[in-house]
Amino acid sequence: MKKMQGLINPTKFPFYYGYLILVFGTIGILASIPGQTIGISTFTDPLKDALGLNRNQISLAYMLGTLASSLILTKAGKLYDRLGAMHTASYAIALLMGTLILCSFSIQISNGVSQIIHSKSWAIPFSLMIVLFFLLRFSGQGVLTMVSRNMVMKWFDRLRGRINAISSISVSFGFSISPLLIDQLIQGYTWQGAWQIIAGLLLIILAFVVLFYKDNPEKYDLHIDGKVPKTVSSQEKTKAEVNFTLSEALQTRSFWMYSLILSFQAFFITGFTFHVVSVFSNDGYTRDEGIAIFLPITIISTIVSIVGNFISDWIKLKILLFSMISGAFLASLGLFLLENDFGYYLLIIGFGICSGLFAVLMAIVWPRLYGRQHLGAISGKAMSMLVMASAIGPYLYSNVYQITGSYGSVSIIAFIYLTFLAIGSLKANVPLKH
């Protein structure tokens, strides 16, 4: 019996509906920008000044809000498995829209609470921003990104790597220009107006989600990749249909090794980006030289992502895993030796490799190793680890610097972590379900 098709019937299109899923899933990931670090950071300075918070206080609020969001992302993934892509993404966008509106009225909310309790303590705006950062990170970086990426991966198998390459390039470009576009909105309409305009734009994205987001192609009597599969042996068929539950996935070495290297990238790059000006000035570079590093990193990352996605359809994922670990070692060594040009270039190459392979592994690992049936719960658990790591990164960087007087000391921690990860990954093979 066919399920309800909604307003849009995937079977009525003259081409495979998965290609529309690619387009609108990518748009959904881009719509998460207001909840991503790159989308929030542009508002940081005007927001903290307006609320009377210093940089340490707004950073701590951001960390606590992000950590809190990471604790419930696994449950959000399970909700996605039950409700499907359209409903879960719709709720996430609605929550993101509402949070942006609340952010635009944060001064009024903070002042109102101050009047009610007759206090002008900094703890009031600080507590408010913890809640708002929690909502932004949970709905944007967490749920909307997870659902949109997983939805695209569910519609492709043999073409998964190539499809992810197209999506990754589009997302990389969109993320790279978003700070400039957001800054123009802030300059033209104030930071409050900018958040309200972005909330209005998300209403259009919500309409796209309701109309075009669809779950597995099998629900609409379509074949994955858009092609009727050839006759296969019973052994191959059984292998293709294996699905792991979250609890089963957590018992495999591969889940932890892939999750831990992805979490390292989130920790290392977020901490580095958050303190980038201070990192470079501490080693004798100018502010412009520090910020300029992101252009070559983006170029290398894009090339690595394209190549990695395409070859992922044919090679073992373990090769990409060790390639990413190697890139992480190079980036860590580059940070340690940043006081000379050799370290500077190592940092660029290492970050470029890591960032490019992060885009590959984050999308294709979970459906390939653990199937599509419980994809939300499994990827949600991995995402919760990643978000938690991104929250800890900036705080650990600042504390290491305060204690040792050098950001390069972070590399020592990284070397120990990556050595453990490399040894553990030697047996991170394709899991077998018993």
Side-chain angles (χ1 to χ4, degrees):
M1 179 178 174
K2 292 185 178 182
K3 297 181 180 293
M4 286 187 61
Q5 309 290 354
L7 296 175
I8 301 294
N9 186 346
T11 64
K12 300 299 183 182
F13 285 78
F15 54 86
Y16 181 50
Y17 190 79
Y19 296 113
L20 272 185
I21 289 290
L22 167 64
V23 172
F24 290 104
T26 301
I27 291 174
I29 297 174
L30 291 172
S32 74
I33 287 175
Q36 303 278 0
T37 302
I38 199 167
I40 296 173
S41 60
T42 318
F43 293 91
T44 300
D45 286 333
L47 178 64
K48 72 176 181 61
D49 293 341
L51 293 175
L53 297 173
N54 60 40
R55 188 169 298 277
N56 286 337
Q57 290 166 345
I58 197 73
S59 299
L60 182 58
Y62 185 72
M63 184 189 78
L64 294 176
T66 302
L67 280 174
S69 72
S70 71
L71 298 177
I72 60 173
L73 277 175
T74 304
K75 293 186 180 298
K78 293 179 179 179
L79 185 68
Y80 161 56
D81 287 332
R82 290 203 307 268
L83 299 181
M86 188 274 284
H87 288 97
T88 311
S90 296
Y91 297 149
I93 291 180
L95 179 58
L96 183 57
M97 289 170 55
T99 305
L100 292 176
I101 297 298
L102 290 175
C103 286
S104 72
F105 288 100
S106 54
I107 296 177
Q108 292 87 336
I109 297 172
S110 178
N111 291 339
V113 174
S114 296
Q115 291 177 2
I116 292 173
I117 66 175
H118 304 292
S119 173
K120 293 185 178 180
S121 171
W122 63 270
I124 295 173
F126 175 77
S127 301
L128 172 64
M129 290 315 303
I130 292 176
V131 175
L132 293 179
F133 282 144
F134 160 73
L135 295 173
L136 284 174
R137 302 291 275 165
F138 175 71
S139 59
Q141 184 199 26
V143 179
L144 184 55
T145 303
M146 175 188 66
V147 172
S148 300
R149 181 186 289 121
N150 284 341
M151 178 185 67
V152 175
M153 294 300 100
K154 282 187 173 185
W155 281 76
F156 297 93
D157 180 23
R158 185 176 55 83
L159 304 176
R160 189 173 284 145
R162 281 159 280 184
I163 291 298
N164 190 49
I166 298 172
S167 179
S168 297
I169 294 171
S170 304
V171 169
S172 178
F173 176 74
F175 273 55
S176 64
I177 67 171
S178 62
L180 177 61
L181 298 178
I182 292 173
D183 186 62
Q184 290 179 341
L185 286 177
I186 293 174
Q187 296 300 323
Y189 302 96
T190 74
W191 60 270
Q192 297 99 321
W195 259 328
Q196 292 168 8
I197 291 171
I198 295 172
L201 293 175
L202 286 178
L203 189 61
I204 301 174
I205 306 299
L206 178 59
F208 287 155
V209 168
V210 172
L211 288 174
F212 296 104
Y213 268 41
K214 305 291 182 183
D215 289 303
N216 303 20
E218 293 86 350
K219 289 188 175 182
Y220 309 99
D221 293 336
L222 297 174
H223 297 285
I224 195 167
D225 289 326
K227 294 183 178 181
V228 179
K230 297 178 180 179
T231 302
V232 296
S233 67
S234 59
Q235 182 179 0
E236 291 174 325
K237 184 176 181 181
T238 300
K239 181 179 178 181
E241 293 175 346
V242 170
N243 288 283
F244 286 72
T245 64
L246 174 59
S247 61
E248 291 169 338
L250 292 177
Q251 296 174 36
T252 67
R253 181 190 296 254
S254 294
F255 175 85
W256 294 105
M257 295 301 102
Y258 283 101
S259 295
L260 289 174
I261 187 58
L262 293 170
S263 297
F264 175 84
Q265 166 69 2
F267 149 78
F268 202 69
I269 191 66
T270 304
F272 175 82
T273 303
F274 197 87
H275 297 287
V276 62
V277 174
S278 178
V279 168
F280 280 95
S281 63
N282 191 59
D283 283 309
Y285 293 87
T286 66
R287 180 181 185 276
D288 290 341
E289 287 175 327
I291 295 177
I293 198 174
F294 291 107
L295 178 59
I297 287 175
T298 300
I299 294 174
I300 295 175
S301 172
T302 301
I303 295 172
V304 171
S305 177
I306 294 172
V307 174
N309 273 299
F310 272 88
I311 66 175
S312 69
D313 288 330
W314 300 291
I315 68 171
K316 294 180 178 180
L317 291 180
K318 197 173 178 180
I319 296 175
L320 298 180
L321 171 61
F322 274 97
S323 297
M324 187 169 179
I325 293 174
S326 300
F329 267 114
L330 289 178
S332 302
L333 184 59
L335 180 61
F336 189 74
L337 301 175
L338 190 56
E339 60 185 14
N340 58 62
D341 290 341
F342 181 66
Y344 184 86
Y345 294 118
L346 279 179
L347 194 65
I348 291 174
I349 295 171
F351 268 141
I353 294 172
C354 276
S355 299
L357 291 178
F358 176 90
V360 179
L361 295 178
M362 189 62 195
I364 68 175
V365 163
W366 315 123
R368 181 186 291 191
L369 295 185
Y370 302 106
R372 296 179 293 155
Q373 186 175 348
H374 304 285
L375 183 57
I378 294 171
S379 63
K381 177 64 176 179
M383 179 69 79
S384 70
M385 294 172 61
L386 186 152
V387 173
M388 185 177 297
S390 71
I392 295 172
Y395 189 69
L396 182 60
Y397 265 72
S398 62
N399 277 274
V400 167
Y401 176 69
Q402 185 176 4
I403 295 171
T404 67
S406 171
Y407 288 104
S409 301
V410 174
S411 296
I412 298 175
I413 301 173
F415 291 146
I416 297 172
Y417 180 96
L418 292 170
T419 300
F420 157 78
L421 198 57
I423 295 172
S425 296
L426 291 173
K427 293 186 178 181
N429 303 314
V430 176
L432 298 176
K433 188 172 182 179
H434 300 289

